[in-house]
């Protein structure tokens, strides 16, 4: 069975600092991996996705993620945090042979002025 | 372009009352449809998914049910609400035949008192 683990339910950074949100996955086959962002009281919005093309994936709002098969990781980064990046971020993987996306528990990002 | 609607946006219901949440998608045909619940401070829990009219798969046994009376309409129901049904309910869709990106609606905040 596939699974996703997000390390750290809360991450706090200063404005202008590096953002690093960690995600590790478990999958018996090459996975599709996603990062979604959720602003308060809103639905989820796709940030970026990995579908077996380039291992470094660039998304919206300056975010990017690198697929590392040897580490089974798909960490999300942004060089310089903005106040508007404060939100909850979800890593996700598609399960094998089905129609279900498995979501991590989420990481809430706080950005300090 | 495709859009997804959910209503109502917020709902306060007494314990034991019925529930009906509606989700509609525009601009696509035969989408895969999903219902998720997000409890306070927790991740997303997949409740139901549907790959076609009248085809519903349940992920979690509980007092909720789902129906898909039309191609782009997905309804979440309950005959008698429990306190534990409180949460943020999200509808999502993905392209027919694809397990790729999911697109989320704005959500319904349900409070059961």
């Amino acid at each position: 069975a596939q699974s996703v683990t997000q390390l750290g339910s809360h991450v706090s950074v200063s404005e202008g600092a590096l953002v690093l949100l960690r995600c590790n996955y478990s999958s018996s086959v090459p996975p599709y991996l996603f990062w979604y962002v959720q602003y308060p009281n809103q639905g989820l919005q796709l940030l970026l996705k990995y579908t077996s093309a380039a291992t470094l994936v660039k998304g919206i709002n300056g975010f990017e993620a690198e697929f590392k098969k040897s580490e089974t990781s798909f960490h999300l980064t942004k060089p310089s945090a903005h106040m508007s990046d404060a939100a909850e971020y979800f890593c996700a993987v598609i399960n094998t042979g089905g129609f279900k996306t498995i979501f991590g528990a989420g990481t809430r990002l706080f950005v300090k002025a | 372009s495709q859009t997804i609607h959910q209503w109502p946006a917020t709902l306060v219901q007494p314990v034991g009352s019925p529930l009906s949440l509606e989700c509609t998608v525009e601009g696509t045909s035969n989408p895969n449809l999903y219902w998720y619940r997000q409890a306070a401070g927790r991740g997303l829990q997949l409740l139901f998914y549907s790959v076609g009219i009248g085809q519903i798969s349940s992920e979690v046994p509980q007092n909720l049910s789902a129906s898909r009376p039309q191609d782009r309409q997905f309804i979440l129901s309950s005959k008698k609400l429990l306190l534990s049904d409180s949460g943020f309910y999200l509808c999502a869709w993905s392209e027919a035949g694809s397990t790729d990106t999911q697109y989320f609606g704005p959500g319904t905040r349900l409070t059961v008192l």
Side-chain angles (χ1 to χ4, degrees), chain A residues 32 34 36 38 41-46 49 51 88 90 94-95 97-101 103-106, chain B residues 32 34 36 38 42-44 46 49 51 59 88 90 97-107 109:
Chain A
Y32 284 8
F34 305 81
Y36 287 86
Q38 184 182 31
N41 295 308
Q42 296 185 25
L44 277 70
Q45 177 184 1
L46 180 70
K49 64 180 179 182
T51 56
E88 188 152 22
F90 292 91
I94 288 180
N95 73 322
F99 292 88
K100 297 181 293 184
T101 300
F103 287 87
Chain B
N32 301 317
Y34 309 82
Y36 291 89
Q38 190 175 25
R42 302 178 66 177
L44 278 75
L46 178 63
Y49 67 94
V51 299
E59 288 297 298
F88 193 49
L90 290 162
S98 168
T99 56
D100 207 307
T101 305
Q102 292 189 18
Y103 302 93
F104 286 80
R109 175 76 59 191

Side-chain angles (χ1 to χ4, degrees), chain A residues 20-76:
Chain A
L20 171 60
L21 305 182
R22 299 179 186 273
C23 172
N24 288 89
Y25 68 92
S26 172
S27 176
S28 58
V29 296
Y32 284 8
L33 293 160
F34 305 81
W35 276 100
Y36 287 86
V37 60
Q38 184 182 31
Y39 299 100
N41 295 308
Q42 296 185 25
L44 277 70
Q45 177 184 1
L46 180 70
L47 270 180
L48 49 82
K49 64 180 179 182
Y50 166 78
T51 56
S52 74
T55 56
L56 182 62
V57 181
K58 295 186 182 298
I60 62 172
N61 301 337
F63 284 93
E64 63 181 35
E66 186 172 8
F67 171 69
K68 292 187 176 181
K69 183 177 179 180
S70 61
E71 298 178 8
T72 61
S73 68
F74 191 57
H75 302 331
L76 181 71

